Amino acid sequence: MNKKYVIAFDQGTTSTRTIVFDDKGQIKAIAQKELTQHYPQSGWVEHDPLEIYNDQLETFNQALSESGIKIEDIAAVGITNQRETTVVWDKETGEPIHNAIVWLDKRTSEICKELKQRGLSKYIQKNTGLVIDSYFSGTKLKWILEHVEGAQAKAEQGKLLFGTIDSWLIYKFTKGKKHVTDHTNASRTMIYNIKTLNWDKKLLEVLKIPESMLPKVQNSSSDFGSIDYKGIDIPIYGVAGDQQASLFGQGGFHSGIAKSTYGTGCFILLNTGEKQVRSKKGLLTTLTCSLDSESVNYALEGSIFAGGASIQWLRDRMQIIEKASDTEAICNSIPPLKKVYVVPAFAGLGAPHWDAKAKGSVYGMTLDTGKNELIKATVEALAYQTKDVINAMVKDSNEKIVTLKVDGGASANNYLMQFQSDLLNVDVDRPKMIEVTAFGAALLAGIKANIWNKNHVETIRKVDTVFSPKMDNKTRKQKYKGWKKAVKRTKRH
Ligand code: ADP
């Protein structure tokens, strides 16, 4: 077999990348371009969809030439992307009618407020798994139809198309032949019914979105069309939103497996199998990567606003560390903290506390609290917040967490990972391969191309370290009790 390379397109919020994997899952080349961020107004964030496409193509060319592989040797492409970001384009010309509205963009808060006032919260949670928020695509799409002149009418005449970034890239790379998406991306739009696996007619009516502009939803590992690259067809066989791709790349196929990505924010997903759990704690229910051979699985999702961002705060604002990685040695250099807690509610508190107005705080300081204690308490706060989310997931789902798989920049911190394992009382499993998200997309494509099957994750995903719990029960309970008290005092109600 000579078709032995799988390409991952990794289109993120701040950069666009192409990664070449060989059939052993080893990286042969990576090419990357930073993406321009547009902030037309406070709270608004946009990307240029054509820049995204051009960057993807450019990094593809660059990665191919760097790796030295032949185009004929590429088995398939897998795409992973920033989720929820919304593009609307003209069906005839293929031109976007507006910049992409990025997931972070808050311009549709008012539309969301109206939806809540109309009493749709329950319906939306039950059928889309989401809470009403400007984060998701549905209201962004409505905004574009309402604010671009003539757009609503054109959409109703079937002349406009909508897509998240995966759909947009596929449309461009297949020269307009395919208008498709996958279950994971569809499940972040707030207009897709995750129970029936169809676009939700009631919500489309409420938001005045014509169904004709929506992409066809496919399994994440399936045939999404072909890229005509210099006369050679390269199939696109994998598509998944970034967080679900990372869960898949971590081998999170079964219920009870959780993953946490420790980046600027932290994203935690727990696979709940075929059970669609409805959260009582404000967590989201979402679809995991789907394969042709299996029925869809669900996951609970929670995120932490200030993850690695609070380490950046120590560096850039407090200026008490030089670089993020210094924190590990500092944490190890002092004895266990005695009831000092930093609650980094810089952007309010997310799941399961939901207090948007909370502000950051420090508790339990005494005269012997110095900067090292502050640093250690800030690092530990990442683990406490993760435990809060995981506890909520366990309560909602009755699942027992078997293991926590970790990735992201701050997962490099051994002190933090050991503390996380101690607090949760489960094994924390960190892989050698840090490009888990891109690998997840490649794996989806490689499975459809018959290069790999799911079991290959075990051999490809080499474990770097498994951190096992060492803390005694009493200490664990005491520490967590102290944290909960600190959070309670931080909350405004
Ligand atoms: P993102 O993808 O969100 O940009 P990354 O996965 O690249 O984030 O992780 C970067 C974040 O991780 C930064 O916020 C940084 O402060 C934090 N970080 C990186 N290394 C460490 C470390 N050794 N200990 C603690 N935090 C770290």
Side-chain angles (χ1 to χ4, degrees), residues 262-264 308-309 311-312 324-325 327 408-410 412-413:
Y262 297 81
T264 311
I311 309 292
Q312 282 161 252
S325 55
T327 54
N413 188 316

Side-chain angles (χ1 to χ4, degrees), residues 77-91:
V77 168
I79 300 176
T80 180
N81 56 289
Q82 51 166 323
R83 304 177 302 173
E84 298 106 8
T85 298
T86 300
V87 191
V88 177
W89 65 94
D90 187 298
K91 195 175 175 179

Side-chain angles (χ1 to χ4, degrees), residues 66-353:
E66 254 171 51
S67 64
I69 65 168
K70 291 211 284 291
I71 300 161
E72 296 86 335
D73 293 345
I74 300 171
V77 168
I79 300 176
T80 180
N81 56 289
Q82 51 166 323
R83 304 177 302 173
E84 298 106 8
T85 298
T86 300
V87 191
V88 177
W89 65 94
D90 187 298
K91 195 175 175 179
E92 269 167 37
T93 63
E95 288 287 313
I97 64 161
H98 192 274
N99 263 347
I101 302 185
V102 178
W103 58 277
L104 290 157
D105 190 295
K106 297 252 185 265
R107 79 183 66 182
T108 61
S109 304
E110 277 304 311
I111 305 179
C112 292
K113 215 159 135 196
E114 266 173 49
L115 295 177
K116 282 181 198 156
Q117 279 162 357
R118 287 174 69 174
L120 283 160
S121 299
K122 226 182 186 160
Y123 180 87
I124 287 181
Q125 193 201 18
K126 208 167 143 190
N127 293 287
T128 71
L130 306 174
V131 293
I132 298 177
D133 199 279
S134 54
Y135 207 78
F136 307 109
S137 322
T139 57
K140 297 181 196 292
L141 168 50
K142 180 181 173 60
W143 190 94
I144 293 177
L145 294 184
E146 274 180 356
H147 289 81
V148 176
E149 214 188 313
Q152 185 73 43
K154 270 181 107 177
E156 273 155 24
Q157 291 156 12
K159 290 183 176 163
L160 296 181
L161 299 177
F162 151 81
T164 38
I165 295 296
D166 54 311
S167 298
W168 165 247
L169 284 176
I170 295 170
Y171 191 81
K172 293 299 282 178
F173 274 101
T174 62
K175 305 218 158 53
K177 286 198 194 87
K178 287 282 184 174
H179 183 218
V180 286
T181 188
D182 87 304
H183 285 126
T184 65
N185 278 294
S187 73
R188 314 297 298 183
T189 57
M190 219 176 80
I191 48 175
Y192 188 69
N193 192 310
I194 61 168
K195 285 194 326 200
T196 63
L197 303 183
N198 285 305
W199 296 110
D200 189 285
K201 293 225 165 22
K202 174 170 169 169
L203 291 172
L204 294 184
E205 213 177 289
V206 166
L207 294 169
K208 295 203 176 71
I209 297 170
E211 192 163 354
S212 59
M213 69 184 307
L214 306 179
K216 179 177 163 243
V217 184
Q218 301 188 179
N219 285 327
S220 314
S221 178
S222 66
D223 187 352
F224 291 89
S226 291
I227 301 174
D228 173 1
Y229 193 86
K230 298 178 183 164
I232 296 169
D233 275 351
I234 308 171
I236 304 168
Y237 277 166
V239 170
D242 51 10
Q243 298 308 321
Q244 284 97 331
S246 136
L247 180 66
F248 197 73
Q250 288 276 24
F253 316 131
H254 309 292
S255 59
I257 301 182
K259 76 97 196 178
S260 180
T261 300
Y262 297 81
T264 311
C266 298
F267 285 91
I268 302 152
L269 267 78
L270 167 69
N271 189 323
T272 58
E274 290 179 28
K275 234 180 4 195
Q276 183 197 335
V277 176
R278 220 179 314 153
S279 174
K280 293 191 179 72
K281 308 268 177 197
L283 300 170
L284 307 176
T285 311
T286 201
L287 293 172
T288 64
C289 294
S290 50
L291 306 181
D292 285 340
S293 55
E294 294 172 13
S295 48
V296 296
N297 275 10
Y298 296 87
L300 279 171
E301 174 171 329
S303 50
I304 295 164
F305 304 144
S310 55
I311 309 292
Q312 282 161 252
W313 167 75
L314 290 176
R315 187 192 60 197
D316 302 335
R317 296 282 163 182
M318 301 299 279
Q319 301 186 343
I320 51 178
I321 54 169
E322 253 174 51
K323 48 187 195 307
S325 55
D326 294 345
T327 54
E328 181 177 336
I330 294 167
C331 289
N332 284 322
S333 71
I334 58 171
L337 292 176
K338 290 194 207 107
K339 300 184 179 166
V340 182
Y341 296 94
V342 168
V343 184
F346 301 123
L349 284 168
H353 309 295

